[in-house]
Amino acid sequence: MEKLDQMRKGTTTLAILKLLVDTGEPMHGYQIAHALESRSRGSFQFKEGLIYPRLHQMEREGLLRSEWEGQRGSRRKVYLPTAEGQRRLTEELKQWQAFSLSMEQLLGLAG
């Protein structure tokens, strides 16, 4: 399980972008972490110590934008992909697919 966790850390940006584009709605950090864990059927865990720094980094890189949602006292920051984030998602998905295909061929798994 630890090796899967290390692999997941390298793909967290891709996973977050894909989730936000697929849902088409703003999501807050806890909601993102829970949805990613659910999508992986529990294979990956996304702790606050990973998710929030990554969200802030992605915002600084221009991949996400944030806005405040809710009333005073119960406000929370939600995230949405930017046009640059959507472009990056498309690019990274192509790279992921090429990598996956190459690995399948290397391991003799491609049919």
Side-chain angles (χ1 to χ4, degrees), residues 15 20-22 24-25 27-29 32 39 44-46 51 53 57-58 63 66 69 80-81 87-88 94 100 106 110:
L20 290 172
V21 167
D22 286 354
E25 296 188 16
M27 297 176 79
H28 57 84
I32 291 169
R39 275 187 167 199
F44 300 114
Q45 291 185 343
F46 293 85
I51 286 294
Q57 177 185 359
M58 292 171 70
L63 303 175
S66 65
E69 181 182 82
L80 299 134
R87 186 199 64 72
R88 174 91 161 265
K94 286 179 187 174
S100 295
L106 174 69

Side-chain angles (χ1 to χ4, degrees), residues 48-61:
E48 287 181 22
L50 173 72
I51 286 294
Y52 286 103
R54 185 60 54 92
L55 291 171
H56 297 152
Q57 177 185 359
M58 292 171 70
E59 190 173 13
R60 284 191 305 273
E61 292 174 359

Side-chain angles (χ1 to χ4, degrees), residues 42-99:
S43 294
F44 300 114
Q45 291 185 343
F46 293 85
K47 305 275 187 208
E48 287 181 22
L50 173 72
I51 286 294
Y52 286 103
R54 185 60 54 92
L55 291 171
H56 297 152
Q57 177 185 359
M58 292 171 70
E59 190 173 13
R60 284 191 305 273
E61 292 174 359
L63 303 175
L64 298 178
R65 68 180 174 86
S66 65
E67 48 192 54
W68 289 99
E69 181 182 82
Q71 299 291 331
R72 190 177 199 175
S74 64
R75 291 175 17 140
R76 53 189 175 188
K77 196 177 204 181
V78 293
Y79 298 89
L80 299 134
T82 62
E84 175 62 19
Q86 292 180 356
R87 186 199 64 72
R88 174 91 161 265
L89 173 62
T90 300
E91 177 184 302
E92 287 199 20
L93 282 174
K94 286 179 187 174
Q95 291 174 1
W96 179 260
Q97 289 168 332
F99 173 78

